[in-house]
Amino acid sequence: MKPPQPQDGYNAPMRRIRLGALCLLLAGLLIGACTRKTVQDATLLPYAGEVALPAADGPRSLSDAEGMPTAIGMVSAVNVLRVQAGLPPLAASGTLMVLGKVRAEAMAEGRYLGHEDPAGASPSARQIIEDTGFRGPVAELVYANQGPLETLATDAVRAWERTPANREVLLSPEYAFAGVGLEGDGSWWKVSLLLAASEP
């Protein structure tokens, strides 16, 4: 004998409640996934426009003293990855720190993200490094972010680590020196990490 079946008057509201709860759950997951993708893409894709942020908290021009702790923190975070991979840590180079700052300022002023200024107003990363007397392998990794300055070092290194080509640069045994520069353009932080095999 079949057990008694609930009447339609009971089933319909329960189905609507369950369906509504499922829709809310799926909407929450979809919004969360889209938010994470937007943030991640913003850190990895080329700089492609302005997004206004509150002036007090937004990326801004930094003095050397303000930016140096974040720059040193970025080199330290890279070195953690290198040591974990069995590689020697990079030495922070004062010259590369200055050149990194020059590159970050150029990207902020020109409102671009890349190794070369699209408008040709400033020299390329390679030209700046080589003109300073660096020889042998050199590299630059660039990054843009709208997050807080306090997490910029960690955010940048994590973004580079997720990209195979950038991770290969970070973990290359041919580099021994590094320098980082950062600057804000009012909407985005611009970061330049420079690596070299030797100093001039």
Side-chain angles (χ1 to χ4, degrees):
M1 182 175 185
K2 291 184 180 178
Q5 298 294 316
Q7 297 187 5
D8 287 343
Y10 170 81
N11 267 350
M14 287 305 291
R15 278 198 300 267
R16 281 196 295 271
I17 290 170
R18 288 184 180 138
L19 183 59
L22 182 60
C23 288
L24 285 174
L25 177 62
L26 290 174
L29 291 173
L30 182 60
I31 289 169
C34 289
T35 302
R36 284 193 297 275
K37 186 176 189 303
T38 301
V39 171
Q40 188 178 55
D41 287 352
T43 65
L44 297 177
L45 293 179
Y47 176 65
E50 295 303 313
V51 179
L53 290 177
D57 300 320
R60 65 197 187 285
S61 180
L62 294 172
S63 68
D64 290 343
E66 287 179 300
M68 191 55 69
T70 301
I72 294 295
M74 213 169 289
V75 175
S76 297
V78 170
N79 281 338
V80 168
L81 292 178
R82 289 177 64 88
V83 169
Q84 288 173 348
L87 295 166
L90 300 168
S93 162
T95 305
L96 289 177
M97 288 286 191
V98 171
L99 297 180
K101 178 71 170 172
V102 169
R103 287 284 303 127
E105 287 175 348
M107 289 190 289
E109 288 172 16
R111 297 190 176 273
Y112 70 93
L113 180 69
H115 306 298
E116 297 183 6
D117 184 346
S122 60
S124 69
R126 180 170 296 279
Q127 184 179 346
I128 288 175
I129 295 172
E130 291 178 350
D131 286 353
T132 311
F134 285 89
R135 296 294 177 261
V138 295
E140 179 190 51
L141 298 183
V142 298
Y143 176 77
N145 187 314
Q146 294 181 295
L149 178 62
E150 293 74 21
T151 63
L152 186 59
T154 304
D155 293 341
V157 174
R158 283 179 179 164
W160 289 327
E161 186 186 8
R162 286 194 301 263
T163 309
N166 291 337
R167 181 180 171 83
E168 185 177 339
V169 170
L170 293 178
L171 299 181
S172 172
E174 59 187 3
Y175 300 119
F177 297 92
V180 173
L182 55 142
E183 187 64 273
D185 68 4
S187 294
W188 295 80
W189 294 113
K190 302 296 177 61
V191 177
S192 169
L193 167 64
L194 301 174
L195 302 102
S198 61
E199 287 196 298

